[in-house]
Amino acid sequence: MVCLGHSNADAATAQAALAAGATGFTHLYNAMSPLTSREPGVVGAALADPHSWCGVILDGLHVHPLAVKVALAAKPRGKLLIVTDAMSPVGTNQTEFDFFDGKVIRDGNKLTNLNGNLAGSVLDMASAVCYAVEELGLELSEAVRMASLYPAEFLGISAERGQIKVGAKADLVLLNDNGLVQQCWLAGYPFIEQ
């Protein structure tokens, strides 16, 4: 499976990639040529194509909520996926780490490289789902599908993952009313952190 991302290609090149078999876009809006009136860029190709999937980072830093609402309006239901772009500090108080030949610095929930560019996130999926509900006004059920069922459909594994049904893998997460993880199960067995 091929997804387009981190590219300054023009819209025609992105459309040619879709015609050649690419099926999605990684980190919609981030590090890709933007939609403008005379050159739609990779973003325009992504939003205009009804068949491709788009992953979007819902941390409030990578994409403005209004831009996400535009994507929700443009893409058919089920084609926008919540992704985290999480790096090693997620769930920790770690403030910096080595990454390839550089360093990534954490300032609150923002990760940047030494040049000040965004470099991943410390977003967990439960927080991303809460963001979709609280900041974008999505129904909780739709936000959960964007984080589970739709990615499973994209990967072609929705018969056994991404939903609760007889015969599916019992990979489950229980959230409380505040969206905090209370318990996880993998293949029906409680997950216990070591």
Side-chain angles (χ1 to χ4, degrees):
M1 302 177 85
V2 174
C3 288
L4 307 174
H6 296 196
S7 172
N8 200 32
D10 59 20
T13 302
Q15 289 176 312
L18 289 168
T23 56
F25 294 84
T26 301
H27 306 165
L28 183 64
Y29 295 111
N30 295 115
M32 60 179 58
S33 52
L35 168 64
T36 66
S37 61
R38 287 180 290 284
E39 173 46 59
V42 173
V43 171
L47 296 179
D49 184 72
H51 306 292
S52 60
W53 282 266
C54 296
V56 64
I57 305 167
L58 297 186
D59 63 355
L61 298 167
H62 281 79
V63 184
H64 191 283
L66 187 56
V68 180
K69 289 180 180 183
V70 168
L72 284 163
K75 298 298 289 183
R77 187 175 188 166
K79 295 297 186 175
L80 199 63
L81 318 174
I82 297 176
V83 297
T84 65
D85 198 27
M87 301 289 279
S88 62
V90 67
T92 74
N93 293 323
Q94 185 180 2
T95 58
E96 64 180 53
F97 60 98
D98 293 329
F99 190 67
F100 291 103
D101 59 349
K103 190 174 286 292
V104 174
I105 309 297
R106 179 179 186 172
D107 181 11
N109 287 331
K110 187 176 185 179
L111 295 181
T112 57
N113 62 21
L114 295 176
N115 295 325
N117 299 321
L118 282 174
S121 80
V122 291
L123 178 66
D124 62 81
M125 190 57 77
S127 297
V129 167
C130 289
Y131 181 93
V133 172
E134 295 165 6
E135 299 297 325
L136 303 176
L138 294 178
E139 293 292 327
L140 178 60
S141 58
E142 180 63 7
V144 168
R145 283 191 292 270
M146 289 172 66
S148 58
L149 177 61
Y150 303 156
E153 289 175 344
F154 169 64
L155 294 172
I157 58 172
S158 60
E160 58 183 42
R161 298 205 186 270
Q163 57 185 321
I164 300 171
K165 69 175 192 170
V166 174
K169 303 285 183 192
D171 295 340
L172 307 167
V173 178
L174 174 66
L175 304 176
N176 67 15
D177 290 339
N178 296 319
L180 298 175
V181 175
Q182 300 301 293
Q183 177 67 52
C184 296
W185 294 265
L186 298 176
Y189 294 97
F191 177 76
I192 300 169
E193 288 189 49
Q194 301 291 332

